């Protein structure tokens, strides 16, 4: 049964392969627009059409080509919001979008009938503003009834809109390392409602739920950016040293200190997020890739994949307390519910380990097979969730035996996991599908999928468990 589900996941991946796109440059003098297509309503189920061009129309008469992310549209299949097109644009006011349709069909029980399409681009009027170094999201909702006329003509008719910012408590973020953006999603609607332009190579994030802030490690700019969740914008930047290339960061439970892994200089930085100052730094073993803070906020654990070590740091003294050798390529860790056991996964090992967080001595290990990319623990159940990147599944382990008892097929390459405590949902960053998948923790089924951007790397949200 498991092999069958894995095979189906692989087929799903093959069917959803996206074209390879190089990384984008950060916004400089320009802004950007993101077009998201809302689910096509039931009355459009029989429609099939192909877009070949999308253009933003300036009020000054200029037209600016956009990059289509999706061209083949099937009314039966577009039942969730989809990322339709993107473009960097000069700052200013725009009067709408023009779409060029290559062909369209109407399906029925006997087959499909070709529809007549306009020879020229069809304008969709809607005024929106693009600001320098900012991204604007515009949603398009197809009106099937107004798109069809005379039984054989198809002229696409969309209603355009700029989605409102979500309620703060429903806000979630995904960092996109190759797009230089953070995608903003609404937990309740399970849709994208905004995009925040960042510096270069945004990677790990940490959220301060009390102060309603998020922190983003910018590996390409050697800095930490501060996002104000209430206003949905970058409000500050904390510079680190040149060459630091921060990969990931963790926030102490009281929200008063960030511990940052500087992969470029093999250092750990201690940053005051309130004064925006780096307070101290200490060297760690080469190849630090991730960091974890214990539930008390007293200790940090740094995982160095090049030297196969875990380093235990006293946060208050900013000093290394202990260091231990691990299986090859330690990548990430997670605490059990009581905080007295630390699970480890490794890039080059087939074992899930459990170590004593005080002595770093190994208590238990169990064979899992290769390819685990992420491990988290649900504090509500103590169950262990591990993403398996190559086989497109999330494995569940029982905490006492460390044995896997079931798995969730998600397809693609699951990379990061987070649990929303408000709705008891598992969020999965899927790298190859460029999506954020939402899994019901009771049914173990995918209940929603959200298109994000190039190189999705991290997910965090208000209400994260």
């Amino acid at each position: 049964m498991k092999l069958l589900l894995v095979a189906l996941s692989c087929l799903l991946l093959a069917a959803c392969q996206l074209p390879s796109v190089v990384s984008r440059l950060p916004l400089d003098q320009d802004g950007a627009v993101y077009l998201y297509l809302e689910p096509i309503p039931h009355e459009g189920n029989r429609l099939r059409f192909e877009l070949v061009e999308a253009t933003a129309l300036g009020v000054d008469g200029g037209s600016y080509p956009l990059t289509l992310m999706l061209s083949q549209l099937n009314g039966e299949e577009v039942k969730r919001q989809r990322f339709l097109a993107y473009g960097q644009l000069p700052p200013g006011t725009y009067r709408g979008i023009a779409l060029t349709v290559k062909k369209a069909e109407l399906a029925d029980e006997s087959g499909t009938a070709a529809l007549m399409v306009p020879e020229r681009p069809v304008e969709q009027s809607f005024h929106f503003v693009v600001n320098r170094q900012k991204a604007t999201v515009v949603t398009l909702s197809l009106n099937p009834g107004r798109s069809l006329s005379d039984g054989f003509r198809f002229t696409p008719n969309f209603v355009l809109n700029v989605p409102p910012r979500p309620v703060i408590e429903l806000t979630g973020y995904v960092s996109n390392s190759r797009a230089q953006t953070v995608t903003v999603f609404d937990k309740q609607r399970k849709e994208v409602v905004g995009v925040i332009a960042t510096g270069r190579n945004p990677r790990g994030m940490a959220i301060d739920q009390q102060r309603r802030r998020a922190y983003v490690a910018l590996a390409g700019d050697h800095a930490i950016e501060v996002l104000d969740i209430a206003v949905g914008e970058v409000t500050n930047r904390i510079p680190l040293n040149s060459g630091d290339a921060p990969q990931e960061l963790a926030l102490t439970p009281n929200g008063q200190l960030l511990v940052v892994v500087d992969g470029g200089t093999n250092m750990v930085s201690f940053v005051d997020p309130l004064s925006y100052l780096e307070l101290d730094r200490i060297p760690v073993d080469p190849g630090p890739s991730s960091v974890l803070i214990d539930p008390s906020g007293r200790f940090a654990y740094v995982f160095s994949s090049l030297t196969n070590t875990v380093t235990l740091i006293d946060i208050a003294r900013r000093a290394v307390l202990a260091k231990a050798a691990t299986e090859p390529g330690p990548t990430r860790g997670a605490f059990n519910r009581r905080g007295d056991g630390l699970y480890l996964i490794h890039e080059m090992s087939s074992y899930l380990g459990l170590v004593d967080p005080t002595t770093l001595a190994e208590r238990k290990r169990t064979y899992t097979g290769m390819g685990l990319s992420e491990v988290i623990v649900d504090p509500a159940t103590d169950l262990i969730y591990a993403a398996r990147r190559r086989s497109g599944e999330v494995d569940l382990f029982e905490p006492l035996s460390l044995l896997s008892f079931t798995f969730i097929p998600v397809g693609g390459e699951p990379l990061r996991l987070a649990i929303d405590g408000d709705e008891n949902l598992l969020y999965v960053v899927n790298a190859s599908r460029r999506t954020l998948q939402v899994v019901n923790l009771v049914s173990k089924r995918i209940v929603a999928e959200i298109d994000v951007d190039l190189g999705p790397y991290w997910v965090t949200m208000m209400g994260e468990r």
Side-chain angles (χ1 to χ4, degrees):
M1 184 63 179
K2 181 171 180 176
L3 290 175
L4 176 61
L5 290 172
V6 171
L8 290 173
S9 299
C10 293
L11 289 174
L12 181 62
L13 169 62
C16 298
Q17 285 287 358
L18 300 171
S20 177
V21 181
V22 298
S23 298
R24 299 192 195 113
L25 295 173
L27 296 176
D28 186 13
Q29 298 301 313
D30 286 341
V33 66
Y34 285 75
L35 302 185
Y36 271 84
L37 176 64
E38 295 290 8
I40 293 177
H42 177 76
E43 54 267 36
N45 278 3
R46 295 191 299 145
L47 272 173
R48 321 273 188 270
F49 59 98
E50 178 182 0
L51 296 177
V52 292
E53 189 176 67
T55 306
L57 306 172
V59 294
D60 58 357
S63 61
Y64 305 88
L66 307 177
T67 300
L68 279 173
M69 306 299 288
L70 190 67
S71 58
Q72 303 287 341
L73 300 173
N74 183 325
E76 283 189 333
E77 297 174 356
V78 183
K79 295 306 175 189
R80 64 178 177 88
Q81 187 192 57
R82 301 303 309 271
F83 183 12
L84 185 64
Y86 156 87
Q88 289 194 11
L89 301 174
T93 302
Y94 292 79
R95 61 182 177 82
I97 302 293
L99 298 171
T100 302
V101 181
K102 181 179 180 180
K103 62 180 180 181
E105 296 175 338
L106 193 64
D108 59 21
E109 295 77 6
S110 60
T112 59
L115 299 172
M116 183 177 292
V117 299
E119 295 182 355
R120 300 175 61 83
V122 180
E123 294 188 13
Q124 315 290 324
S125 297
F126 178 72
H127 278 70
F128 62 93
V129 175
V130 172
N131 294 310
R132 179 174 176 265
Q133 295 184 345
K134 306 284 186 185
T136 299
V137 169
V138 175
T139 59
L140 295 83
S141 301
L142 180 70
N143 187 327
R146 293 187 176 182
S147 300
L148 287 168
S149 60
D150 303 328
F152 63 92
R153 298 181 191 277
F154 176 73
T155 305
N157 183 286
F158 290 94
V159 175
L160 278 59
N161 197 12
V162 173
R165 262 201 305 270
V167 175
I168 292 175
E169 287 73 17
L170 299 177
T171 302
Y173 293 136
V174 174
S175 65
N176 304 293
S177 60
R178 291 196 293 122
Q180 332 308 341
T181 60
V182 167
T183 299
V184 186
F185 64 93
D186 185 313
K187 292 197 307 179
Q188 188 172 64
R189 294 164 54 191
K190 312 283 188 299
E191 289 190 343
V192 171
V193 293
V195 173
I196 299 173
T198 68
R200 292 180 296 172
N201 198 1
R203 297 179 69 82
M205 292 190 290
I207 199 163
D208 184 339
Q209 306 210 24
Q210 182 178 0
R211 295 177 179 83
R212 299 177 173 183
R213 289 177 168 186
Y215 304 98
V216 186
L218 298 180
D221 283 345
H222 318 294
I224 307 298
E225 271 188 339
V226 184
L227 307 185
D228 186 315
I229 297 174
V231 301
E233 293 185 357
V234 175
T235 56
N236 220 315
R237 175 178 282 210
I238 306 169
L240 300 175
N241 288 355
S242 176
D244 271 347
Q247 302 297 303
E248 295 182 8
L249 42 74
L251 186 67
T252 52
N254 62 10
Q256 296 186 357
L257 192 71
L258 282 167
V259 180
V260 186
V261 170
D262 302 324
T265 52
N266 302 320
M267 304 288 287
V268 166
S269 295
F270 301 89
V271 176
D272 182 346
L274 306 181
S275 65
Y276 308 118
L277 294 174
E278 180 180 354
L279 304 177
D280 203 353
R281 57 173 49 209
I282 60 173
V284 291
D285 282 354
S289 56
S290 65
V291 60
L292 179 70
I293 292 178
D294 81 314
S296 73
R298 295 175 57 197
F299 305 108
Y301 299 78
V302 176
F303 306 90
S304 298
S305 55
L306 288 182
T307 50
N308 306 325
T309 55
V310 176
T311 301
L312 170 59
I313 295 173
D314 184 318
I315 293 178
R317 293 169 52 200
R318 294 161 197 165
V320 172
L321 291 180
K323 191 184 302 182
T326 70
E327 311 262 353
T331 52
R332 203 162 294 280
F335 279 96
N336 64 6
R337 181 164 53 185
R338 293 196 305 270
D340 59 1
L342 175 61
Y343 301 111
L344 299 182
I345 59 170
H346 311 80
E347 185 177 8
M348 304 300 294
S349 168
S350 299
Y351 290 90
L352 168 69
L354 172 64
V355 303
D356 184 307
T358 303
T359 64
L360 300 182
E362 185 176 86
R363 292 177 181 165
K364 189 182 292 185
R365 66 200 286 257
T366 187
Y367 180 82
T368 61
M370 297 283 285
L372 296 183
S373 58
E374 169 73 302
V375 61
I376 64 171
V377 171
D378 183 352
T381 62
D382 214 15
L383 295 178
I384 307 161
Y385 293 76
R388 192 179 296 281
R389 185 167 184 171
R390 299 302 177 192
S391 60
E393 62 189 47
V394 176
D395 288 354
L396 276 70
F397 295 88
E398 201 277 327
L400 295 178
S401 65
L402 294 191
L403 295 178
S404 175
F405 63 94
T406 189
F407 74 105
I408 304 168
V410 296
E413 297 182 8
L415 183 64
R416 297 283 175 266
L417 305 173
I419 293 177
D420 175 20
D422 293 337
E423 297 192 44
N424 205 33
L425 297 172
L426 175 70
Y427 282 75
V428 183
V429 173
N430 199 306
S432 61
R433 294 174 64 84
R434 293 180 201 153
T435 63
L436 180 66
Q437 296 165 310
V438 188
V439 178
N440 184 301
L441 285 177
V442 177
S443 69
K444 309 291 188 295
R445 294 182 180 276
I446 296 174
V447 295
E449 190 162 16
I450 303 169
D451 286 0
V452 290
D453 213 338
L454 305 179
Y457 185 82
W458 197 272
V459 58
T460 189
M461 68 200 76
M462 294 292 288
E464 184 173 347
R465 185 180 290 165

